[in-house]
Amino acid sequence: MPLFARRARPEPAPLRLVVPRLDGTGWPDRAVVGRPTFDAAAYHEMGTRRAYEPEAHAVADTLVPAALERIRTGAGPDDEPYLVKVFVVAARVGTGIGLVDREQAAPGSDVLDRAVAGALWQARRELPAMREDWARTAGWFLLAGHRLGRQGPGALPVLLDGLPAA
């Protein structure tokens, strides 16, 4: 008999995978996701590596122009090319995490693993400092890329439907 008995922790309820919105909704609650874990860091690292693969580039090259037709960033001509590059990189990293998520047997089409949610939050924390509205938009590209990496190109119309009409 062990000196100190350990209670089995109940398995936390799964997180819902929702369609991201430009206002920042769609992100899993940071308090529910919890502190950064080794699993989340591993998903983030693997996803960042996958962001350099042709599939992640193809997703970002389709997603970013289609979304920017509907999103008005208000960026000046000097800032716009750099802002678009941030959006492209965010979409690629999100896609990379989504590809890893899909290959690791995602728990269900509407469920998000906590470690994957933690990896997405880590990717969001690593975005460069920028205006709040641009940061929310870059976060949208992270989540949209994740969804496309996980569910495939068929998810694009649902993502675009959540954006303002052109």
Side-chain angles (χ1 to χ4, degrees):
M1 178 169 157
L3 187 58
F4 297 102
R6 292 185 180 206
R7 292 185 205 160
R9 291 185 181 174
E11 190 65 32
L15 302 171
R16 286 192 23 85
L17 179 66
V18 298
V19 177
R21 301 283 181 226
L22 280 179
D23 64 2
T25 56
W27 278 92
D29 184 359
R30 195 181 301 190
V32 174
V33 172
R35 62 182 178 79
T37 63
F38 177 81
D39 291 346
Y43 270 109
H44 179 263
E45 177 66 26
M46 290 187 295
T48 301
R49 290 179 184 194
R50 297 292 302 270
Y52 293 97
E53 294 182 3
E55 188 173 356
H57 281 256
V59 167
D61 292 346
T62 302
L63 173 62
V64 173
L68 287 179
E69 287 179 5
R70 297 178 175 215
I71 299 171
R72 302 292 171 239
T73 64
D78 292 339
D79 293 332
E80 188 172 18
Y82 301 105
L83 185 61
V84 170
K85 183 67 173 175
V86 169
F87 294 160
V88 167
V89 170
R92 286 179 188 159
V93 170
T95 302
I97 294 170
L99 292 171
V100 173
D101 188 11
R102 179 178 71 198
E103 292 167 358
Q104 299 297 321
S109 63
D110 64 340
V111 178
L112 182 63
D113 183 88
R114 287 176 191 277
V116 175
L120 290 166
W121 273 109
Q122 183 173 343
R124 185 173 178 177
R125 284 190 303 272
E126 292 180 0
L127 290 170
M130 62 188 112
R131 285 182 4 193
E132 181 61 31
D133 58 329
W134 293 348
R136 276 194 312 274
T137 303
W140 182 87
F141 279 108
L142 268 168
L143 289 180
H146 170 260
R147 193 173 192 92
L148 289 171
R150 180 176 163 165
Q151 296 178 340
L156 183 61
V158 172
L159 293 166
L160 297 178
D161 285 346
L163 297 177

Short mmCIF file of all heavy atoms in Angstrom, two decimals, residues 43-94:
data_model
loop_
_atom_site.label_atom_id
_atom_site.label_comp_id
_atom_site.label_asym_id
_atom_site.label_seq_id
_atom_site.Cartn_x
_atom_site.Cartn_y
_atom_site.Cartn_z
N TYR A 43 3.42 19.93 -29.99
CA TYR A 43 2.53 20.19 -31.13
C TYR A 43 2.95 21.47 -31.85
O TYR A 43 2.96 21.53 -33.08
CB TYR A 43 1.07 20.33 -30.66
CG TYR A 43 0.30 19.04 -30.65
CD1 TYR A 43 -0.06 18.44 -29.45
CD2 TYR A 43 -0.09 18.43 -31.83
CE1 TYR A 43 -0.78 17.26 -29.43
CE2 TYR A 43 -0.81 17.26 -31.82
CZ TYR A 43 -1.15 16.68 -30.61
OH TYR A 43 -1.86 15.50 -30.60
N HIS A 44 3.31 22.49 -31.09
CA HIS A 44 3.73 23.75 -31.70
C HIS A 44 4.99 23.55 -32.52
O HIS A 44 5.09 24.03 -33.65
CB HIS A 44 3.94 24.81 -30.62
CG HIS A 44 4.38 26.12 -31.16
ND1 HIS A 44 5.71 26.48 -31.20
CD2 HIS A 44 3.70 27.13 -31.73
CE1 HIS A 44 5.82 27.67 -31.76
NE2 HIS A 44 4.61 28.09 -32.09
N GLU A 45 5.96 22.85 -31.98
CA GLU A 45 7.21 22.61 -32.69
C GLU A 45 6.97 21.80 -33.96
O GLU A 45 7.48 22.14 -35.03
CB GLU A 45 8.21 21.89 -31.78
CG GLU A 45 9.51 21.52 -32.44
CD GLU A 45 10.35 22.71 -32.86
OE1 GLU A 45 10.22 23.79 -32.25
OE2 GLU A 45 11.14 22.57 -33.81
N MET A 46 6.20 20.73 -33.85
CA MET A 46 5.92 19.92 -35.04
C MET A 46 5.14 20.71 -36.08
O MET A 46 5.39 20.62 -37.28
CB MET A 46 5.16 18.65 -34.65
CG MET A 46 6.00 17.66 -33.88
SD MET A 46 5.17 16.06 -33.58
CE MET A 46 3.81 16.55 -32.52
N GLY A 47 4.17 21.52 -35.61
CA GLY A 47 3.38 22.34 -36.52
C GLY A 47 4.22 23.40 -37.21
O GLY A 47 4.04 23.67 -38.40
N THR A 48 5.15 24.00 -36.49
CA THR A 48 6.03 25.01 -37.08
C THR A 48 6.90 24.37 -38.16
O THR A 48 7.12 24.97 -39.21
CB THR A 48 6.89 25.67 -35.99
OG1 THR A 48 6.03 26.27 -35.02
CG2 THR A 48 7.80 26.72 -36.56
N ARG A 49 7.35 23.17 -37.93
CA ARG A 49 8.14 22.47 -38.95
C ARG A 49 7.29 22.16 -40.18
O ARG A 49 7.74 22.30 -41.31
CB ARG A 49 8.73 21.18 -38.40
CG ARG A 49 9.83 21.44 -37.40
CD ARG A 49 10.36 20.16 -36.85
NE ARG A 49 11.35 20.46 -35.82
CZ ARG A 49 12.19 19.58 -35.32
NH1 ARG A 49 12.17 18.33 -35.77
NH2 ARG A 49 13.04 19.93 -34.38
N ARG A 50 6.03 21.76 -39.95
CA ARG A 50 5.14 21.43 -41.06
C ARG A 50 4.74 22.69 -41.84
O ARG A 50 4.31 22.59 -42.99
CB ARG A 50 3.88 20.72 -40.55
CG ARG A 50 4.10 19.39 -39.88
CD ARG A 50 4.58 18.30 -40.82
NE ARG A 50 3.73 18.04 -41.94
CZ ARG A 50 2.73 17.16 -41.97
NH1 ARG A 50 2.44 16.45 -40.90
NH2 ARG A 50 2.02 16.99 -43.07
N ALA A 51 4.88 23.86 -41.24
CA ALA A 51 4.52 25.11 -41.91
C ALA A 51 5.38 25.38 -43.14
O ALA A 51 5.01 26.19 -43.99
CB ALA A 51 4.62 26.28 -40.93
N TYR A 52 6.51 24.72 -43.24
CA TYR A 52 7.40 24.90 -44.39
C TYR A 52 7.12 23.93 -45.53
O TYR A 52 7.76 24.00 -46.57
CB TYR A 52 8.87 24.75 -43.93
CG TYR A 52 9.30 25.86 -43.02
CD1 TYR A 52 9.29 25.68 -41.65
CD2 TYR A 52 9.68 27.09 -43.53
CE1 TYR A 52 9.67 26.71 -40.79
CE2 TYR A 52 10.07 28.12 -42.70
CZ TYR A 52 10.06 27.92 -41.33
OH TYR A 52 10.43 28.94 -40.48
N GLU A 53 6.17 23.04 -45.34
CA GLU A 53 5.86 22.04 -46.36
C GLU A 53 4.94 22.63 -47.43
O GLU A 53 4.19 23.58 -47.18
CB GLU A 53 5.23 20.81 -45.72
CG GLU A 53 6.21 20.08 -44.81
CD GLU A 53 5.63 18.84 -44.19
OE1 GLU A 53 4.46 18.48 -44.48
OE2 GLU A 53 6.34 18.22 -43.38
N PRO A 54 4.97 22.05 -48.63
CA PRO A 54 4.16 22.59 -49.74
C PRO A 54 2.66 22.69 -49.42
O PRO A 54 2.00 23.64 -49.85
CB PRO A 54 4.41 21.61 -50.88
CG PRO A 54 5.74 21.00 -50.58
CD PRO A 54 5.83 20.96 -49.08
N GLU A 55 2.11 21.75 -48.66
CA GLU A 55 0.69 21.80 -48.35
C GLU A 55 0.34 23.04 -47.54
O GLU A 55 -0.68 23.69 -47.78
CB GLU A 55 0.26 20.53 -47.61
CG GLU A 55 -1.24 20.44 -47.43
CD GLU A 55 -1.69 19.11 -46.83
OE1 GLU A 55 -0.85 18.21 -46.61
OE2 GLU A 55 -2.90 18.98 -46.59
N ALA A 56 1.18 23.39 -46.58
CA ALA A 56 0.93 24.59 -45.77
C ALA A 56 1.06 25.85 -46.62
O ALA A 56 0.28 26.79 -46.48
CB ALA A 56 1.89 24.65 -44.59
N HIS A 57 2.02 25.87 -47.54
CA HIS A 57 2.16 27.00 -48.44
C HIS A 57 0.93 27.13 -49.34
O HIS A 57 0.43 28.23 -49.57
CB HIS A 57 3.42 26.84 -49.30
CG HIS A 57 4.67 27.21 -48.58
ND1 HIS A 57 5.33 28.38 -48.79
CD2 HIS A 57 5.38 26.54 -47.63
CE1 HIS A 57 6.41 28.43 -48.02
NE2 HIS A 57 6.45 27.33 -47.30
N ALA A 58 0.43 26.01 -49.84
CA ALA A 58 -0.74 26.03 -50.73
C ALA A 58 -1.96 26.55 -49.99
O ALA A 58 -2.74 27.35 -50.54
CB ALA A 58 -0.99 24.64 -51.30
N VAL A 59 -2.14 26.12 -48.75
CA VAL A 59 -3.29 26.59 -47.97
C VAL A 59 -3.20 28.10 -47.76
O VAL A 59 -4.15 28.84 -48.00
CB VAL A 59 -3.38 25.86 -46.61
CG1 VAL A 59 -4.35 26.56 -45.67
CG2 VAL A 59 -3.79 24.41 -46.82
N ALA A 60 -2.03 28.58 -47.33
CA ALA A 60 -1.87 30.02 -47.08
C ALA A 60 -2.02 30.82 -48.37
O ALA A 60 -2.63 31.90 -48.36
CB ALA A 60 -0.51 30.29 -46.44
N ASP A 61 -1.50 30.29 -49.47
CA ASP A 61 -1.59 31.00 -50.75
C ASP A 61 -3.02 31.07 -51.27
O ASP A 61 -3.34 31.93 -52.08
CB ASP A 61 -0.68 30.33 -51.79
CG ASP A 61 0.79 30.51 -51.47
OD1 ASP A 61 1.13 31.36 -50.62
OD2 ASP A 61 1.61 29.78 -52.07
N THR A 62 -3.88 30.18 -50.81
CA THR A 62 -5.30 30.24 -51.16
C THR A 62 -6.08 31.07 -50.15
O THR A 62 -6.90 31.92 -50.52
CB THR A 62 -5.89 28.81 -51.21
OG1 THR A 62 -5.15 28.05 -52.17
CG2 THR A 62 -7.36 28.83 -51.59
N LEU A 63 -5.83 30.84 -48.87
CA LEU A 63 -6.60 31.47 -47.80
C LEU A 63 -6.39 32.99 -47.73
O LEU A 63 -7.35 33.75 -47.68
CB LEU A 63 -6.23 30.84 -46.46
CG LEU A 63 -6.81 31.49 -45.20
CD1 LEU A 63 -8.33 31.43 -45.20
CD2 LEU A 63 -6.23 30.84 -43.96
N VAL A 64 -5.15 33.42 -47.72
CA VAL A 64 -4.86 34.84 -47.47
C VAL A 64 -5.47 35.75 -48.54
O VAL A 64 -6.19 36.69 -48.20
CB VAL A 64 -3.35 35.07 -47.27
CG1 VAL A 64 -3.03 36.56 -47.18
CG2 VAL A 64 -2.87 34.36 -46.01
N PRO A 65 -5.25 35.51 -49.83
CA PRO A 65 -5.87 36.41 -50.82
C PRO A 65 -7.40 36.38 -50.78
O PRO A 65 -8.04 37.42 -50.90
CB PRO A 65 -5.35 35.89 -52.17
CG PRO A 65 -4.17 35.07 -51.88
CD PRO A 65 -4.36 34.53 -50.48
N ALA A 66 -7.97 35.18 -50.58
CA ALA A 66 -9.44 35.09 -50.53
C ALA A 66 -9.99 35.86 -49.34
O ALA A 66 -11.01 36.56 -49.46
CB ALA A 66 -9.86 33.62 -50.46
N ALA A 67 -9.34 35.76 -48.20
CA ALA A 67 -9.82 36.47 -47.00
C ALA A 67 -9.59 37.97 -47.10
O ALA A 67 -10.43 38.77 -46.69
CB ALA A 67 -9.15 35.90 -45.76
N LEU A 68 -8.44 38.37 -47.65
CA LEU A 68 -8.13 39.80 -47.73
C LEU A 68 -9.03 40.54 -48.71
O LEU A 68 -9.11 41.77 -48.67
CB LEU A 68 -6.66 40.02 -48.06
CG LEU A 68 -5.70 39.72 -46.90
CD1 LEU A 68 -4.26 39.95 -47.32
CD2 LEU A 68 -6.04 40.55 -45.67
N GLU A 69 -9.73 39.82 -49.57
CA GLU A 69 -10.74 40.46 -50.42
C GLU A 69 -11.89 40.99 -49.56
O GLU A 69 -12.59 41.92 -49.97
CB GLU A 69 -11.29 39.47 -51.44
CG GLU A 69 -10.32 39.14 -52.55
CD GLU A 69 -10.90 38.14 -53.55
OE1 GLU A 69 -12.10 37.78 -53.42
OE2 GLU A 69 -10.16 37.71 -54.44
N ARG A 70 -12.09 40.42 -48.39
CA ARG A 70 -13.20 40.80 -47.50
C ARG A 70 -12.76 41.58 -46.27
O ARG A 70 -13.58 42.18 -45.61
CB ARG A 70 -13.93 39.55 -47.05
CG ARG A 70 -14.56 38.80 -48.18
CD ARG A 70 -15.22 37.55 -47.64
NE ARG A 70 -15.94 36.88 -48.69
CZ ARG A 70 -17.07 36.22 -48.49
NH1 ARG A 70 -17.59 36.15 -47.31
NH2 ARG A 70 -17.66 35.63 -49.50
N ILE A 71 -11.47 41.52 -45.94
CA ILE A 71 -10.97 42.16 -44.73
C ILE A 71 -10.30 43.48 -45.10
O ILE A 71 -9.40 43.51 -45.92
CB ILE A 71 -9.95 41.26 -44.00
CG1 ILE A 71 -10.61 39.94 -43.59
CG2 ILE A 71 -9.37 41.97 -42.78
CD1 ILE A 71 -9.62 38.91 -43.06
N ARG A 72 -10.72 44.53 -44.46
CA ARG A 72 -10.09 45.83 -44.64
C ARG A 72 -9.18 46.07 -43.45
O ARG A 72 -9.64 46.24 -42.32
CB ARG A 72 -11.14 46.95 -44.74
CG ARG A 72 -12.13 46.77 -45.86
CD ARG A 72 -11.44 46.93 -47.22
NE ARG A 72 -12.35 46.55 -48.28
CZ ARG A 72 -12.10 45.59 -49.15
NH1 ARG A 72 -10.97 44.92 -49.08
NH2 ARG A 72 -12.96 45.28 -50.09
N THR A 73 -7.88 46.08 -43.71
CA THR A 73 -6.91 46.21 -42.62
C THR A 73 -6.61 47.66 -42.27
O THR A 73 -6.18 47.95 -41.16
CB THR A 73 -5.59 45.52 -42.96
OG1 THR A 73 -5.00 46.18 -44.09
CG2 THR A 73 -5.81 44.04 -43.26
N GLY A 74 -6.80 48.56 -43.22
CA GLY A 74 -6.45 49.96 -42.99
C GLY A 74 -4.96 50.20 -42.99
O GLY A 74 -4.49 51.26 -42.56
N ALA A 75 -4.19 49.23 -43.48
CA ALA A 75 -2.73 49.38 -43.52
C ALA A 75 -2.34 50.32 -44.65
O ALA A 75 -2.91 50.26 -45.74
CB ALA A 75 -2.06 48.03 -43.71
N GLY A 76 -1.37 51.16 -44.38
CA GLY A 76 -0.85 52.06 -45.40
C GLY A 76 0.02 51.29 -46.38
O GLY A 76 0.38 50.13 -46.16
N PRO A 77 0.39 51.94 -47.47
CA PRO A 77 1.20 51.26 -48.49
C PRO A 77 2.56 50.79 -47.97
O PRO A 77 3.12 49.83 -48.49
CB PRO A 77 1.34 52.28 -49.61
CG PRO A 77 0.89 53.58 -49.06
CD PRO A 77 0.06 53.30 -47.84
N ASP A 78 3.10 51.47 -46.97
CA ASP A 78 4.39 51.04 -46.41
C ASP A 78 4.24 49.80 -45.53
O ASP A 78 5.14 48.96 -45.48
CB ASP A 78 5.01 52.17 -45.59
CG ASP A 78 5.44 53.34 -46.44
OD1 ASP A 78 5.62 53.15 -47.67
OD2 ASP A 78 5.59 54.45 -45.89
N ASP A 79 3.12 49.70 -44.81
CA ASP A 79 2.92 48.60 -43.88
C ASP A 79 2.29 47.36 -44.51
O ASP A 79 2.50 46.24 -44.04
CB ASP A 79 2.02 49.04 -42.71
CG ASP A 79 2.67 50.07 -41.83
OD1 ASP A 79 3.92 50.06 -41.75
OD2 ASP A 79 1.95 50.86 -41.21
N GLU A 80 1.51 47.55 -45.55
CA GLU A 80 0.71 46.46 -46.09
C GLU A 80 1.51 45.21 -46.49
O GLU A 80 1.13 44.09 -46.11
CB GLU A 80 -0.14 46.94 -47.27
CG GLU A 80 -1.11 45.89 -47.73
CD GLU A 80 -2.08 46.41 -48.77
OE1 GLU A 80 -1.81 47.45 -49.40
OE2 GLU A 80 -3.10 45.74 -48.96
N PRO A 81 2.62 45.33 -47.22
CA PRO A 81 3.34 44.09 -47.59
C PRO A 81 3.83 43.30 -46.38
O PRO A 81 3.80 42.07 -46.39
CB PRO A 81 4.52 44.57 -48.43
CG PRO A 81 4.28 46.00 -48.73
CD PRO A 81 3.26 46.51 -47.79
N TYR A 82 4.24 44.00 -45.33
CA TYR A 82 4.74 43.32 -44.13
C TYR A 82 3.58 42.69 -43.35
O TYR A 82 3.72 41.58 -42.82
CB TYR A 82 5.52 44.29 -43.25
CG TYR A 82 6.69 44.88 -44.00
CD1 TYR A 82 6.65 46.19 -44.46
CD2 TYR A 82 7.82 44.12 -44.28
CE1 TYR A 82 7.71 46.73 -45.18
CE2 TYR A 82 8.88 44.64 -44.99
CZ TYR A 82 8.83 45.94 -45.44
OH TYR A 82 9.87 46.46 -46.16
N LEU A 83 2.46 43.38 -43.31
CA LEU A 83 1.29 42.85 -42.62
C LEU A 83 0.78 41.60 -43.33
O LEU A 83 0.46 40.59 -42.68
CB LEU A 83 0.19 43.91 -42.54
CG LEU A 83 -1.04 43.54 -41.74
CD1 LEU A 83 -0.68 43.24 -40.30
CD2 LEU A 83 -2.07 44.67 -41.81
N VAL A 84 0.73 41.64 -44.65
CA VAL A 84 0.30 40.47 -45.40
C VAL A 84 1.25 39.30 -45.14
O VAL A 84 0.81 38.15 -44.98
CB VAL A 84 0.19 40.79 -46.91
CG1 VAL A 84 -0.01 39.52 -47.73
CG2 VAL A 84 -0.94 41.77 -47.17
N LYS A 85 2.52 39.56 -45.05
CA LYS A 85 3.50 38.51 -44.76
C LYS A 85 3.24 37.90 -43.38
O LYS A 85 3.33 36.68 -43.21
CB LYS A 85 4.93 39.07 -44.83
CG LYS A 85 6.00 38.05 -44.62
CD LYS A 85 6.04 37.05 -45.75
CE LYS A 85 7.23 36.12 -45.61
NZ LYS A 85 7.24 35.09 -46.61
N VAL A 86 2.91 38.73 -42.40
CA VAL A 86 2.56 38.21 -41.06
C VAL A 86 1.34 37.30 -41.16
O VAL A 86 1.30 36.22 -40.57
CB VAL A 86 2.31 39.36 -40.07
CG1 VAL A 86 1.69 38.86 -38.77
CG2 VAL A 86 3.60 40.10 -39.76
N PHE A 87 0.34 37.72 -41.94
CA PHE A 87 -0.86 36.90 -42.11
C PHE A 87 -0.54 35.57 -42.79
O PHE A 87 -1.06 34.52 -42.41
CB PHE A 87 -1.93 37.65 -42.91
CG PHE A 87 -2.48 38.86 -42.23
CD1 PHE A 87 -3.12 39.84 -42.98
CD2 PHE A 87 -2.38 39.06 -40.86
CE1 PHE A 87 -3.65 40.98 -42.38
CE2 PHE A 87 -2.89 40.21 -40.24
CZ PHE A 87 -3.54 41.16 -41.01
N VAL A 88 0.33 35.61 -43.80
CA VAL A 88 0.71 34.39 -44.51
C VAL A 88 1.44 33.43 -43.56
O VAL A 88 1.14 32.23 -43.52
CB VAL A 88 1.58 34.72 -45.75
CG1 VAL A 88 2.25 33.47 -46.31
CG2 VAL A 88 0.75 35.41 -46.82
N VAL A 89 2.36 33.95 -42.79
CA VAL A 89 3.10 33.09 -41.85
C VAL A 89 2.15 32.54 -40.79
O VAL A 89 2.24 31.35 -40.44
CB VAL A 89 4.28 33.86 -41.22
CG1 VAL A 89 4.91 33.07 -40.08
CG2 VAL A 89 5.32 34.19 -42.28
N ALA A 90 1.24 33.36 -40.29
CA ALA A 90 0.26 32.87 -39.30
C ALA A 90 -0.58 31.74 -39.90
O ALA A 90 -0.81 30.72 -39.24
CB ALA A 90 -0.63 34.02 -38.84
N ALA A 91 -1.03 31.91 -41.13
CA ALA A 91 -1.82 30.87 -41.79
C ALA A 91 -1.00 29.59 -41.97
O ALA A 91 -1.51 28.49 -41.77
CB ALA A 91 -2.34 31.37 -43.14
N ARG A 92 0.27 29.73 -42.33
CA ARG A 92 1.12 28.55 -42.51
C ARG A 92 1.34 27.80 -41.20
O ARG A 92 1.27 26.57 -41.15
CB ARG A 92 2.46 28.94 -43.12
CG ARG A 92 2.39 29.30 -44.57
CD ARG A 92 3.75 29.69 -45.09
NE ARG A 92 3.65 30.20 -46.44
CZ ARG A 92 4.55 30.97 -47.02
NH1 ARG A 92 5.65 31.33 -46.36
NH2 ARG A 92 4.37 31.39 -48.25
N VAL A 93 1.62 28.55 -40.14
CA VAL A 93 1.85 27.90 -38.84
C VAL A 93 0.56 27.24 -38.36
O VAL A 93 0.58 26.10 -37.89
CB VAL A 93 2.38 28.92 -37.80
CG1 VAL A 93 2.39 28.32 -36.40
CG2 VAL A 93 3.78 29.38 -38.20
N GLY A 94 -0.57 27.93 -38.51
CA GLY A 94 -1.85 27.32 -38.15
C GLY A 94 -2.11 26.06 -38.95
O GLY A 94 -2.56 25.04 -38.40
#
